[in-house]
Coordinates of all heavy atoms in Angstrom, one line a residue:
M1 N 137.1 64.5 98.7 CA 136.0 64.5 99.6 C 135.0 63.4 99.2 O 134.6 63.4 98.0 CB 135.4 65.9 99.7 CG 134.3 66.0 100.6 SD 133.5 67.7 100.7 CE 134.9 68.8 101.1
N2 N 134.6 62.5 100.1 CA 133.7 61.5 99.6 C 132.3 62.1 99.6 O 132.0 63.2 100.1 CB 133.8 60.3 100.5 CG 133.2 60.5 101.9 OD1 132.3 61.2 102.1 ND2 133.8 59.7 102.9
K3 N 131.4 61.3 98.9 CA 130.0 61.8 98.6 C 129.2 62.1 99.9 O 128.6 63.1 99.9 CB 129.3 60.7 97.8 CG 128.0 61.2 97.2 CD 127.5 60.1 96.3 CE 126.2 60.5 95.7 NZ 125.7 59.5 94.8
T4 N 129.3 61.3 100.9 CA 128.5 61.6 102.1 C 129.0 62.8 102.9 O 128.2 63.6 103.4 CB 128.5 60.4 103.1 OG1 129.8 60.0 103.4 CG2 127.7 59.2 102.5
V5 N 130.3 63.1 102.9 CA 130.8 64.3 103.5 C 130.4 65.5 102.8 O 129.9 66.5 103.3 CB 132.4 64.2 103.6 CG1 132.9 65.5 104.1 CG2 132.8 63.1 104.5
A6 N 130.4 65.5 101.4 CA 130.0 66.6 100.6 C 128.5 66.9 100.8 O 128.1 68.0 100.9 CB 130.3 66.3 99.1
Q7 N 127.7 65.8 100.9 CA 126.2 66.0 101.1 C 125.9 66.6 102.4 O 125.1 67.5 102.5 CB 125.5 64.7 100.9 CG 125.4 64.2 99.5 CD 124.9 62.8 99.4 OE1 124.8 62.0 100.3 NE2 124.4 62.4 98.2
T8 N 126.6 66.1 103.4 CA 126.5 66.7 104.8 C 126.9 68.1 104.8 O 126.1 69.0 105.4 CB 127.3 65.9 105.8 OG1 126.9 64.5 105.7 CG2 127.1 66.4 107.2
K9 N 128.0 68.5 104.2 CA 128.4 69.9 104.2 C 127.4 70.8 103.5 O 127.1 71.8 103.9 CB 129.8 69.9 103.5 CG 130.4 71.3 103.6 CD 131.8 71.3 103.0 CE 132.4 72.7 103.0 NZ 133.7 72.8 102.4
K10 N 126.9 70.3 102.3 CA 125.9 71.1 101.6 C 124.7 71.3 102.4 O 124.1 72.4 102.4 CB 125.6 70.4 100.3 CG 124.7 71.2 99.4 CD 124.4 70.5 98.1 CE 123.5 71.3 97.2 NZ 123.2 70.7 96.0
R11 N 124.2 70.3 103.1 CA 123.0 70.4 103.9 C 123.2 71.4 105.0 O 122.4 72.3 105.3 CB 122.6 69.1 104.5 CG 121.5 68.4 103.8 CD 120.9 67.3 104.6 NE 121.9 66.4 105.1 CZ 122.3 65.2 104.5 NH1 121.7 64.9 103.4 NH2 123.2 64.5 105.1
K12 N 124.4 71.3 105.6 CA 124.7 72.2 106.8 C 124.9 73.7 106.3 O 124.4 74.6 106.9 CB 126.0 71.7 107.5 CG 126.3 72.4 108.8 CD 127.4 71.6 109.5 CE 128.6 72.6 109.6 NZ 129.8 72.0 110.2
E13 N 125.7 73.9 105.3 CA 126.1 75.2 104.9 C 125.1 75.8 103.8 O 125.1 77.0 103.6 CB 127.5 75.2 104.3 CG 128.5 74.8 105.4 CD 129.9 74.7 104.8 OE1 130.1 75.0 103.6 OE2 130.8 74.2 105.6
G14 N 124.4 75.0 103.1 CA 123.6 75.5 102.0 C 124.4 75.7 100.8 O 125.6 75.8 100.8
S15 N 123.7 75.8 99.6 CA 124.5 76.0 98.4 C 124.9 77.5 98.4 O 124.4 78.3 99.1 CB 123.6 75.7 97.2 OG 122.4 76.4 97.2
W16 N 125.8 77.9 97.5 CA 126.4 79.2 97.5 C 125.4 80.3 97.4 O 125.5 81.4 97.9 CB 127.4 79.3 96.4 CG 126.8 79.3 95.0 CD1 126.6 78.2 94.3 CD2 126.4 80.4 94.2 NE1 126.0 78.6 93.1 CE2 125.9 79.9 93.0 CE3 126.5 81.8 94.4 CZ2 125.4 80.7 92.0 CZ3 126.0 82.6 93.4 CH2 125.5 82.1 92.2
N17 N 124.3 80.1 96.7 CA 123.2 81.2 96.5 C 121.9 80.7 97.1 O 120.9 81.2 96.7 CB 123.1 81.7 95.1 CG 122.5 80.6 94.2 OD1 122.4 79.5 94.6 ND2 122.2 81.0 93.0
E18 N 121.9 79.7 97.9 CA 120.8 79.1 98.5 C 119.8 78.6 97.5 O 118.6 78.5 97.8 CB 120.1 80.1 99.5 CG 121.0 80.6 100.6 CD 120.3 81.6 101.5 OE1 119.1 81.9 101.3 OE2 121.0 82.1 102.4
G19 N 120.2 78.3 96.3 CA 119.4 77.8 95.3 C 118.3 78.7 94.7 O 117.3 78.3 94.2
K20 N 118.5 80.0 94.9 CA 117.5 81.0 94.6 C 117.6 81.4 93.1 O 116.6 82.0 92.6 CB 117.6 82.2 95.5 CG 117.2 81.9 96.9 CD 117.3 83.1 97.8 CE 116.9 82.7 99.2 NZ 117.1 83.8 100.1
S21 N 118.7 81.3 92.5 CA 118.8 81.7 91.1 C 119.8 80.9 90.3 O 120.6 80.1 90.9 CB 119.2 83.2 91.0 OG 120.5 83.4 91.5
Y22 N 119.8 80.9 89.0 CA 120.8 80.3 88.2 C 121.0 81.1 86.9 O 120.1 82.0 86.6 CB 120.3 78.8 87.8 CG 118.9 78.8 87.2 CD1 118.7 78.8 85.9 CD2 117.8 78.7 88.1 CE1 117.4 78.8 85.3 CE2 116.5 78.6 87.5 CZ 116.3 78.7 86.2 OH 115.1 78.6 85.7
A23 N 122.1 80.9 86.3 CA 122.5 81.8 85.1 C 121.8 81.3 83.8 O 121.7 80.1 83.6 CB 124.0 81.8 85.0
I24 N 121.3 82.2 83.0 CA 120.8 81.9 81.7 C 121.3 83.0 80.8 O 121.7 84.1 81.2 CB 119.3 81.8 81.7 CG1 118.7 83.2 82.1 CG2 118.8 80.7 82.5 CD1 117.2 83.3 81.8
N25 N 121.2 82.9 79.5 CA 121.4 84.0 78.5 C 122.5 84.9 78.9 O 122.3 86.0 79.3 CB 120.1 84.8 78.3 CG 119.0 83.9 77.8 OD1 119.2 82.9 77.2 ND2 117.8 84.4 78.0
N26 N 123.8 84.5 78.7 CA 124.9 85.3 78.9 C 125.0 85.9 80.3 O 125.3 87.0 80.6 CB 125.0 86.5 77.9 CG 125.0 86.0 76.5 OD1 125.7 85.0 76.2 ND2 124.3 86.7 75.6
G27 N 124.7 85.0 81.3 CA 124.9 85.4 82.7 C 123.7 86.1 83.4 O 123.8 86.4 84.5
E28 N 122.6 86.3 82.7 CA 121.4 86.9 83.3 C 120.9 85.9 84.3 O 120.9 84.7 84.1 CB 120.3 87.2 82.3 CG 119.2 87.9 82.9 CD 118.1 88.3 81.9 OE1 118.1 87.8 80.7 OE2 117.2 89.1 82.2
R29 N 120.5 86.4 85.5 CA 120.0 85.5 86.5 C 118.5 85.2 86.4 O 117.7 86.1 86.1 CB 120.2 86.1 87.9 CG 121.6 86.7 88.2 CD 122.7 85.6 88.2 NE 122.5 84.5 89.1 CZ 123.2 83.4 89.0 NH1 124.2 83.3 88.2 NH2 123.0 82.5 89.9
C30 N 118.1 84.0 86.5 CA 116.7 83.6 86.6 C 116.5 83.0 87.9 O 117.1 82.1 88.4 CB 116.5 82.5 85.5 SG 114.7 82.1 85.4
Y31 N 115.5 83.6 88.6 CA 115.2 83.2 90.0 C 114.2 82.1 90.0 O 113.2 82.0 89.3 CB 114.7 84.4 90.8 CG 115.8 85.5 90.9 CD1 116.0 86.4 89.9 CD2 116.6 85.5 92.0 CE1 117.1 87.3 90.0 CE2 117.6 86.4 92.1 CZ 117.9 87.3 91.1 OH 118.9 88.2 91.2
K32 N 114.4 81.1 91.0 CA 113.6 79.9 91.0 C 112.2 80.2 91.6 O 111.3 79.5 91.3 CB 114.3 78.9 91.8 CG 115.5 78.3 91.1 CD 116.0 77.1 91.9 CE 117.2 76.5 91.1 NZ 117.7 75.3 91.8
T33 N 112.1 81.1 92.6 CA 110.8 81.4 93.2 C 110.4 82.8 92.9 O 111.2 83.7 92.7 CB 110.9 81.2 94.7 OG1 111.8 82.2 95.3 CG2 111.4 79.8 95.1
R34 N 109.1 83.0 93.0 CA 108.5 84.3 92.8 C 109.0 85.3 93.9 O 109.3 86.5 93.7 CB 107.0 84.3 92.8 CG 106.3 85.6 92.5 CD 104.8 85.4 92.5 NE 104.2 86.6 92.0 CZ 103.8 86.8 90.8 NH1 104.0 85.9 89.9 NH2 103.3 87.9 90.4
H35 N 109.1 84.8 95.1 CA 109.5 85.6 96.2 C 111.0 86.1 96.0 O 111.3 87.3 96.2 CB 109.4 84.8 97.6 CG 109.8 85.6 98.8 ND1 109.1 86.7 99.3 CD2 110.9 85.5 99.5 CE1 109.7 87.2 100.3 NE2 110.8 86.5 100.5
A36 N 111.9 85.2 95.7 CA 113.3 85.6 95.5 C 113.4 86.6 94.3 O 114.1 87.6 94.3 CB 114.2 84.4 95.2
W37 N 112.6 86.4 93.2 CA 112.6 87.3 92.1 C 112.0 88.7 92.5 O 112.6 89.7 92.1 CB 111.7 86.7 91.0 CG 111.4 87.6 89.9 CD1 112.2 88.0 88.8 CD2 110.1 88.3 89.7 NE1 111.5 88.8 88.0 CE2 110.3 89.1 88.5 CE3 109.0 88.4 90.4 CZ2 109.2 89.9 88.1 CZ3 107.9 89.2 90.0 CH2 108.1 89.9 88.8
S38 N 111.0 88.7 93.2 CA 110.3 89.9 93.6 C 111.3 90.8 94.4 O 111.5 92.0 94.2 CB 109.1 89.7 94.4 OG 108.5 90.8 94.9
K39 N 112.0 90.2 95.4 CA 113.0 90.9 96.2 C 114.1 91.4 95.3 O 114.6 92.6 95.5 CB 113.5 90.0 97.3 CG 112.5 89.7 98.4 CD 113.0 88.7 99.4 CE 114.3 89.1 100.1 NZ 114.7 88.2 101.2
A40 N 114.6 90.6 94.4 CA 115.7 91.1 93.5 C 115.3 92.2 92.6 O 116.0 93.2 92.4 CB 116.1 89.9 92.7
V41 N 114.0 92.2 92.1 CA 113.5 93.3 91.2 C 113.4 94.6 92.0 O 113.9 95.6 91.5 CB 112.2 92.9 90.6 CG1 111.5 94.1 89.9 CG2 112.3 91.8 89.6
I42 N 112.9 94.5 93.2 CA 112.8 95.8 94.0 C 114.1 96.3 94.4 O 114.4 97.5 94.4 CB 111.8 95.5 95.2 CG1 110.4 95.3 94.7 CG2 111.9 96.7 96.2 CD1 109.4 94.8 95.7
R43 N 115.1 95.3 94.7 CA 116.4 95.7 95.1 C 117.1 96.4 93.9 O 117.8 97.4 94.1 CB 117.2 94.5 95.6 CG 118.5 94.8 96.2 CD 119.2 93.5 96.8 NE 119.2 92.4 95.9 CZ 118.5 91.3 96.2 NH1 117.7 91.2 97.3 NH2 118.5 90.2 95.4
H44 N 116.9 95.9 92.7 CA 117.5 96.4 91.5 C 117.0 97.8 91.1 O 117.7 98.7 90.8 CB 117.4 95.4 90.3 CG 118.0 95.8 89.1 ND1 119.4 95.7 88.9 CD2 117.5 96.4 88.0 CE1 119.6 96.2 87.7 NE2 118.5 96.6 87.1
Y45 N 115.6 97.9 91.0 CA 115.0 99.1 90.5 C 114.7 100.1 91.6 O 114.4 101.3 91.3 CB 113.7 98.8 89.8 CG 114.0 98.1 88.5 CD1 113.5 96.8 88.3 CD2 114.6 98.6 87.4 CE1 113.7 96.1 87.1 CE2 114.9 98.0 86.2 CZ 114.4 96.7 86.1 OH 114.6 96.0 84.9
G46 N 114.7 99.7 92.9 CA 114.3 100.6 93.9 C 112.8 100.5 94.2 O 112.0 99.9 93.5
N47 N 112.4 101.1 95.3 CA 111.0 100.9 95.8 C 110.2 102.1 95.4 O 109.6 102.8 96.2 CB 110.9 100.7 97.3 CG 109.6 100.3 97.8 OD1 108.9 99.5 97.2 ND2 109.1 101.0 98.8
A48 N 110.1 102.5 94.1 CA 109.3 103.5 93.6 C 108.6 103.0 92.3 O 109.3 102.4 91.5 CB 110.1 104.8 93.3
C49 N 107.3 103.3 92.1 CA 106.6 102.9 91.0 C 107.2 103.4 89.7 O 107.5 104.6 89.6 CB 105.1 103.4 91.1 SG 104.1 102.8 89.7
Q50 N 107.4 102.5 88.7 CA 108.1 102.9 87.5 C 107.1 103.6 86.5 O 107.5 104.2 85.5 CB 108.7 101.7 86.8 CG 109.9 101.2 87.5 CD 110.5 100.0 86.9 OE1 110.1 98.9 87.1 NE2 111.6 100.2 86.1
L51 N 105.8 103.6 86.8 CA 104.8 104.3 86.0 C 104.4 105.7 86.5 O 104.4 106.6 85.8 CB 103.5 103.4 85.9 CG 103.7 102.1 85.1 CD1 102.4 101.4 85.0 CD2 104.3 102.3 83.7
C52 N 104.2 105.7 87.8 CA 103.7 107.0 88.4 C 104.7 107.7 89.4 O 104.5 108.8 89.7 CB 102.3 106.9 89.1 SG 102.4 105.9 90.6
G53 N 105.7 106.9 89.8 CA 106.7 107.5 90.7 C 106.4 107.4 92.2 O 107.2 107.9 93.0
W54 N 105.2 106.9 92.5 CA 104.8 106.8 93.9 C 105.8 106.0 94.7 O 106.2 104.9 94.3 CB 103.4 106.2 94.0 CG 102.8 106.1 95.3 CD1 102.1 107.2 96.0 CD2 102.7 105.0 96.2 NE1 101.7 106.8 97.2 CE2 102.0 105.4 97.4 CE3 103.1 103.7 96.2 CZ2 101.7 104.6 98.4 CZ3 102.9 102.9 97.2 CH2 102.2 103.3 98.3
D55 N 106.2 106.5 95.9 CA 107.2 105.8 96.7 C 106.9 105.9 98.2 O 107.8 105.8 99.0 CB 108.6 106.3 96.5 CG 108.7 107.7 96.8 OD1 107.7 108.4 97.2 OD2 109.9 108.2 96.8
K56 N 105.6 106.0 98.6 CA 105.3 106.3 100.0 C 105.2 105.0 100.8 O 105.2 105.1 102.0 CB 103.9 107.0 100.1 CG 103.9 108.3 99.3 CD 104.9 109.3 99.8 CE 104.9 110.6 99.1 NZ 106.1 111.2 98.9
A57 N 105.1 103.9 100.2 CA 105.0 102.6 101.0 C 105.6 101.5 100.0 O 106.0 101.8 98.9 CB 103.6 102.3 101.4
R58 N 105.5 100.3 100.5 CA 106.0 99.1 99.7 C 105.3 99.0 98.3 O 104.1 99.0 98.2 CB 105.8 97.8 100.5 CG 106.5 96.7 99.9 CD 106.1 95.4 100.6 NE 106.3 94.2 99.8 CZ 105.5 93.8 98.9 NH1 104.4 94.5 98.6 NH2 105.7 92.7 98.2
C59 N 106.1 98.8 97.3 CA 105.6 98.6 95.9 C 105.7 97.1 95.6 O 106.3 96.3 96.4 CB 106.4 99.4 94.9 SG 106.1 101.2 95.0
D60 N 105.2 96.7 94.5 CA 105.1 95.3 94.1 C 106.0 95.1 92.8 O 106.2 96.0 92.0 CB 103.7 94.9 93.7 CG 102.7 95.1 94.8 OD1 103.0 94.9 96.0 OD2 101.6 95.5 94.5
A61 N 106.5 93.9 92.7 CA 107.2 93.5 91.5 C 106.2 92.9 90.5 O 105.2 92.2 90.9 CB 108.3 92.4 91.8
H62 N 106.3 93.2 89.2 CA 105.3 92.8 88.2 C 106.1 92.3 87.0 O 107.1 92.8 86.6 CB 104.5 94.1 87.8 CG 103.6 93.9 86.7 ND1 102.4 93.2 86.8 CD2 103.6 94.3 85.4 CE1 101.7 93.2 85.7 NE2 102.4 93.8 84.8
H63 N 105.6 91.2 86.5 CA 106.2 90.6 85.3 C 105.7 91.4 84.0 O 104.6 91.6 83.8 CB 105.7 89.1 85.0 CG 106.3 88.2 86.0 ND1 105.6 87.7 87.1 CD2 107.4 87.5 85.9 CE1 106.4 86.9 87.7 NE2 107.5 86.7 87.0
R64 N 106.7 91.8 83.2 CA 106.4 92.4 81.9 C 105.7 91.4 81.0 O 104.7 91.7 80.3 CB 107.7 93.0 81.3 CG 108.3 94.1 82.1 CD 109.6 94.5 81.5 NE 110.4 95.4 82.3 CZ 110.3 96.7 82.4 NH1 109.5 97.3 81.5 NH2 111.0 97.4 83.2
V65 N 106.3 90.2 80.9 CA 105.8 89.1 80.1 C 105.3 88.1 81.1 O 106.1 87.6 81.9 CB 106.8 88.5 79.1 CG1 106.2 87.3 78.4 CG2 107.3 89.5 78.2
P66 N 104.0 87.8 81.2 CA 103.5 86.9 82.3 C 104.2 85.5 82.2 O 104.5 85.0 81.1 CB 102.0 86.8 82.0 CG 101.7 88.0 81.2 CD 102.9 88.3 80.4
K67 N 104.3 84.9 83.4 CA 104.8 83.5 83.4 C 104.0 82.6 82.5 O 104.6 81.7 81.9 CB 104.8 83.0 84.8 CG 105.8 83.6 85.8 CD 107.2 83.0 85.5 CE 107.3 81.6 85.9 NZ 108.6 81.0 85.6
G68 N 102.7 82.7 82.5 CA 101.8 81.9 81.7 C 102.1 82.1 80.2 O 101.6 81.2 79.4
Q69 N 102.7 83.1 79.8 CA 103.0 83.4 78.4 C 104.5 83.2 78.1 O 105.0 83.7 77.1 CB 102.6 84.8 78.0 CG 101.1 84.9 78.0 CD 100.7 86.4 77.7 OE1 101.5 87.2 77.3 NE2 99.4 86.6 77.9
G70 N 105.2 82.5 79.0 CA 106.6 82.2 78.7 C 107.6 83.1 79.4 O 108.8 83.0 79.2
G71 N 107.1 84.1 80.2 CA 108.0 85.0 80.8 C 108.8 84.3 81.9 O 108.3 83.4 82.5
L72 N 110.0 84.8 82.2 CA 110.8 84.2 83.3 C 111.0 85.1 84.5 O 110.7 86.3 84.4 CB 112.2 83.9 82.7 CG 112.3 83.0 81.5 CD1 113.7 82.9 81.0 CD2 111.9 81.6 81.9
H73 N 111.4 84.5 85.6 CA 111.7 85.3 86.8 C 113.1 86.0 86.6 O 114.1 85.6 87.3 CB 111.7 84.4 88.0 CG 110.4 84.0 88.5 ND1 109.3 84.8 88.5 CD2 110.0 82.8 88.9 CE1 108.2 84.1 89.0 NE2 108.6 82.9 89.2
T74 N 113.2 86.9 85.7 CA 114.5 87.6 85.5 C 114.3 89.1 85.8 O 113.2 89.6 85.8 CB 115.0 87.5 84.1 OG1 114.0 88.1 83.2 CG2 115.3 86.1 83.7
I75 N 115.4 89.8 86.1 CA 115.3 91.2 86.4 C 114.8 92.0 85.2 O 113.9 92.9 85.3 CB 116.7 91.8 86.8 CG1 117.2 91.1 88.0 CG2 116.7 93.3 87.0 CD1 116.5 91.4 89.3
G76 N 115.2 91.6 84.0 CA 114.7 92.3 82.8 C 113.3 92.1 82.5 O 112.6 92.9 81.8
N77 N 112.7 91.0 83.1 CA 111.2 90.8 82.9 C 110.4 91.3 84.0 O 109.3 91.0 84.2 CB 111.0 89.3 82.7 CG 109.5 89.0 82.3 OD1 109.0 89.8 81.5 ND2 109.0 87.9 82.8
G78 N 111.0 92.1 84.9 CA 110.3 92.7 86.0 C 110.3 94.2 86.0 O 111.1 94.9 85.4
M79 N 109.3 94.7 86.7 CA 109.2 96.1 86.9 C 108.5 96.4 88.3 O 107.8 95.5 88.8 CB 108.4 96.8 85.8 CG 107.0 96.4 85.6 SD 106.1 97.1 84.1 CE 106.3 98.8 84.3
V80 N 108.8 97.5 88.8 CA 108.2 97.9 90.1 C 107.0 98.8 90.0 O 107.1 99.8 89.3 CB 109.3 98.6 91.0 CG1 108.7 99.0 92.4 CG2 110.5 97.6 91.2
L81 N 105.9 98.4 90.6 CA 104.6 99.1 90.5 C 104.0 99.4 91.8 O 104.1 98.5 92.7 CB 103.6 98.4 89.6 CG 104.0 98.1 88.2 CD1 102.9 97.3 87.5 CD2 104.3 99.4 87.4
C82 N 103.4 100.5 92.0 CA 102.7 100.7 93.2 C 101.4 99.8 93.2 O 101.0 99.3 92.1 CB 102.3 102.2 93.4 SG 101.0 102.8 92.2
P83 N 100.8 99.6 94.3 CA 99.6 98.7 94.3 C 98.5 99.2 93.4 O 97.9 98.3 92.7 CB 99.1 98.8 95.8 CG 100.3 99.1 96.6 CD 101.1 100.0 95.7
N84 N 98.3 100.5 93.2 CA 97.3 100.9 92.3 C 97.6 100.7 90.8 O 96.8 100.1 90.1 CB 97.0 102.4 92.5 CG 95.8 102.9 91.8 OD1 94.7 102.3 91.9 ND2 95.9 104.0 91.1
C85 N 98.8 101.0 90.4 CA 99.2 100.7 89.0 C 99.3 99.2 88.8 O 98.9 98.8 87.7 CB 100.6 101.4 88.7 SG 100.5 103.2 88.6
H86 N 99.7 98.5 89.8 CA 99.7 97.0 89.6 C 98.3 96.4 89.4 O 98.1 95.6 88.5 CB 100.3 96.4 90.9 CG 100.8 95.0 90.7 ND1 101.3 94.2 91.7 CD2 100.9 94.2 89.6 CE1 101.7 93.1 91.2 NE2 101.4 93.0 89.9
R87 N 97.3 96.9 90.1 CA 95.9 96.5 89.9 C 95.4 96.9 88.5 O 94.8 96.1 87.8 CB 95.0 97.2 91.0 CG 93.6 96.8 90.9 CD 92.7 97.6 91.9 NE 93.0 99.0 91.8 CZ 92.4 99.8 90.9 NH1 91.7 99.4 90.0 NH2 92.7 101.1 91.0
I88 N 95.7 98.1 88.1 CA 95.3 98.5 86.8 C 95.9 97.7 85.7 O 95.3 97.3 84.7 CB 95.7 100.0 86.6 CG1 94.8 100.9 87.5 CG2 95.5 100.4 85.1 CD1 95.2 102.3 87.6
E89 N 97.2 97.4 85.8 CA 97.9 96.5 84.8 C 97.2 95.1 84.7 O 97.0 94.6 83.6 CB 99.4 96.3 85.2 CG 100.2 97.5 85.0 CD 100.5 97.8 83.5 OE1 100.9 96.9 82.8 OE2 100.2 99.0 83.1
H90 N 96.8 94.6 85.8 CA 96.1 93.3 85.8 C 94.7 93.4 85.3 O 94.3 92.5 84.5 CB 96.1 92.6 87.2 CG 97.4 92.0 87.5 ND1 97.8 90.7 87.1 CD2 98.5 92.5 88.2 CE1 99.0 90.4 87.6 NE2 99.4 91.5 88.2
E91 N 94.0 94.5 85.6 CA 92.6 94.6 85.1 C 92.6 94.8 83.6 O 91.7 94.4 82.9 CB 92.0 95.8 85.8 CG 91.5 95.6 87.2 CD 90.9 96.8 87.9 OE1 90.9 97.9 87.3 OE2 90.5 96.6 89.0
E92 N 93.7 95.4 83.1 CA 93.7 95.7 81.6 C 94.4 94.5 80.9 O 94.6 94.5 79.7 CB 94.5 97.0 81.3 CG 93.7 98.2 81.8 CD 94.4 99.5 81.6 OE1 95.6 99.5 81.1 OE2 93.9 100.5 81.9
G93 N 94.7 93.5 81.7 CA 95.3 92.2 81.1 C 96.7 92.3 80.6 O 97.1 91.6 79.7
R94 N 97.5 93.2 81.2 CA 98.9 93.4 80.7 C 99.8 92.8 81.8 O 100.4 93.5 82.6 CB 99.2 94.8 80.5 CG 98.4 95.5 79.4 CD 98.9 96.9 79.2 NE 98.6 97.7 80.4 CZ 98.3 99.0 80.3 NH1 98.3 99.6 79.2 NH2 98.1 99.6 81.4
G95 N 100.0 91.5 81.7 CA 101.0 90.9 82.5 C 100.5 90.1 83.8 O 99.3 90.1 84.0
D96 N 101.4 89.6 84.5 CA 101.2 88.7 85.6 C 101.5 89.5 86.9 O 102.6 89.9 87.1 CB 102.1 87.5 85.5 CG 102.1 86.5 86.6 OD1 101.1 86.6 87.4 OD2 103.0 85.8 86.7

């Protein structure tokens, strides 16, 4: 397949995972955008706060190690928090 045909096919069909993640550290997925990471964390852990158990409405994804301190967009570096627990985590300076 020549280069222009391959480029046209890629543009038309998109890459296999739409460029949202790539493998690191023995196959762990690192997500390129915060949005893709957030959706993956909530899909993995479910939509219930991991601190208080609240599940009445949409919860947020939260970085255990903030991006500014070298944390990555990985499932292992994420947790699901209700809006109240998420606000408290940020006010107390624990994470991003």
Side-chain angles (χ1 to χ4, degrees):
M1 181 181 301
N2 72 30
K3 190 174 182 179
T4 54
V5 172
Q7 288 173 340
T8 303
K9 185 176 179 181
K10 184 177 180 182
R11 261 194 309 265
K12 186 172 118 182
E13 298 174 5
S15 60
W16 69 274
N17 68 352
E18 299 177 5
K20 293 181 181 174
S21 67
Y22 52 93
I24 61 167
N25 301 337
N26 300 322
E28 185 177 16
R29 309 299 303 168
C30 185
Y31 294 83
K32 288 187 177 181
T33 66
R34 183 180 190 96
H35 180 71
W37 168 79
S38 177
K39 285 174 59 172
V41 168
I42 292 171
R43 188 172 50 247
H44 181 78
Y45 293 115
N47 191 46
C49 182
Q50 291 179 278
L51 296 181
C52 71
W54 186 81
D55 64 351
K56 304 300 180 212
R58 188 186 158 281
C59 290
D60 304 323
H62 175 74
H63 285 97
R64 294 175 193 269
V65 177
K67 287 284 291 175
Q69 294 176 7
L72 299 174
H73 287 316
T74 61
I75 299 292
N77 189 36
M79 62 189 303
V80 178
L81 299 177
C82 68
N84 190 47
C85 289
H86 199 184
R87 179 185 52 79
I88 291 168
E89 287 291 306
H90 282 276
E91 285 178 355
E92 293 179 358
R94 294 185 295 210
D96 173 22

